[in-house]
Amino acid sequence: RCVMRLLATAIAARPLLVPRAAPAALLDVEAVASVHTSLGDVSSTLAFADQAGNLAGALFPLSLPPYLLFLYFLGYEGNRCPKTAQFGAQFLLLFVVSTVLTGIVTKGTYSSSLADVDWLHGGAEALLTTSNLFLGFGLAGALSSGKMEPAGAGMEGTRPQRFAALALAVTVFGSAFAGPQLGVEAHSPFLFGAGALPADLLAASPLPLHVEPANALS
């Protein structure tokens, strides 16, 4: 009985369950907010490759030698790669050059990034689309015919298409420098809005819509 009384007295004097601190009290709200802000600054800094001071800009030159090596092996005669597809892979270099030139214009003229200048962004993407079309149609043609590219075949059969693609590239490069002189603004629509959908097209749609970001293409 004496032992039972001692145990009862000890339990009453000192509860076995001690309340834990609230989770919110364990967090430093200001520290969490500062970390979130720092991560946001890093993500915005690395957002666009046309800013030479960030990580993407530093890695950009390092990506060119591997791609040039890829083009060399793609053109190796033993691979028998379709010439149209080869030209598409080579034309991608013009897209890369266009992003550099248009990035300089957007930074110097509009104090912005290429992704936020609609008409220049659209022109650069048009070159990328052209490269993809040559690659796609070239490889699709070889697959549908079931025949390999003849040995020693040249690009004479695609001369009109190649000239048209190069003319498009010259137009994009020329407009990048002439546009600001003609008063074209940052958010002027690409091709003066040709093919653009009406702004209120989805207004009556039952689908949930989100606010358009500031750098959305016009």
Side-chain angles (χ1 to χ4, degrees):
R1 288 182 179 180
C2 293
V3 174
M4 296 299 293
R5 287 178 182 177
L6 290 174
L7 289 175
T9 303
I11 293 174
R14 185 178 181 182
L16 295 179
L17 297 178
V18 179
R20 299 180 61 183
L26 300 177
L27 296 177
D28 188 341
V29 178
E30 294 182 357
V32 173
S34 64
V35 171
H36 175 74
T37 303
S38 300
L39 292 176
D41 293 340
V42 171
S43 62
S44 62
T45 301
L46 301 180
F48 304 110
D50 59 338
Q51 298 176 0
N54 60 32
L55 181 61
L59 293 178
F60 171 73
L62 300 179
S63 66
L64 290 179
Y67 190 76
L68 293 177
L69 188 63
F70 162 74
L71 291 180
Y72 172 78
F73 284 106
L74 194 67
Y76 176 63
E77 194 64 35
N79 290 330
R80 311 284 285 276
C81 180
K83 299 302 180 182
T84 303
Q86 284 188 43
F87 177 76
Q90 297 166 2
F91 192 82
L92 186 65
L93 292 176
L94 288 180
F95 161 71
V96 174
V97 174
S98 73
T99 60
V100 175
L101 295 179
T102 53
I104 293 174
V105 174
T106 55
K107 191 71 174 178
T109 303
Y110 302 108
S111 299
S112 183
S113 63
L114 177 58
D116 201 22
V117 180
D118 297 347
W119 63 281
L120 285 175
H121 189 190
E125 292 297 333
L127 298 185
L128 178 60
T129 302
T130 302
S131 172
N132 291 337
L133 289 175
F134 275 96
L135 276 168
F137 282 112
L139 296 175
L143 291 174
S144 62
S145 64
K147 298 179 181 179
M148 298 183 64
E149 188 83 5
M155 292 190 178
E156 289 76 10
T158 61
R159 182 174 296 178
Q161 295 90 331
R162 289 186 289 116
F163 284 167
L166 294 175
L168 174 63
V170 171
T171 302
V172 171
F173 294 154
S175 63
F177 295 100
Q181 307 300 325
L182 299 176
V184 181
E185 299 180 353
H187 291 292
S188 297
F190 176 59
L191 292 180
F192 305 100
L197 298 176
D200 58 346
L201 178 64
L202 298 177
S205 172
L207 299 175
L209 301 179
H210 301 281
V211 178
E212 187 178 69
N215 65 343
L217 289 177
S218 298

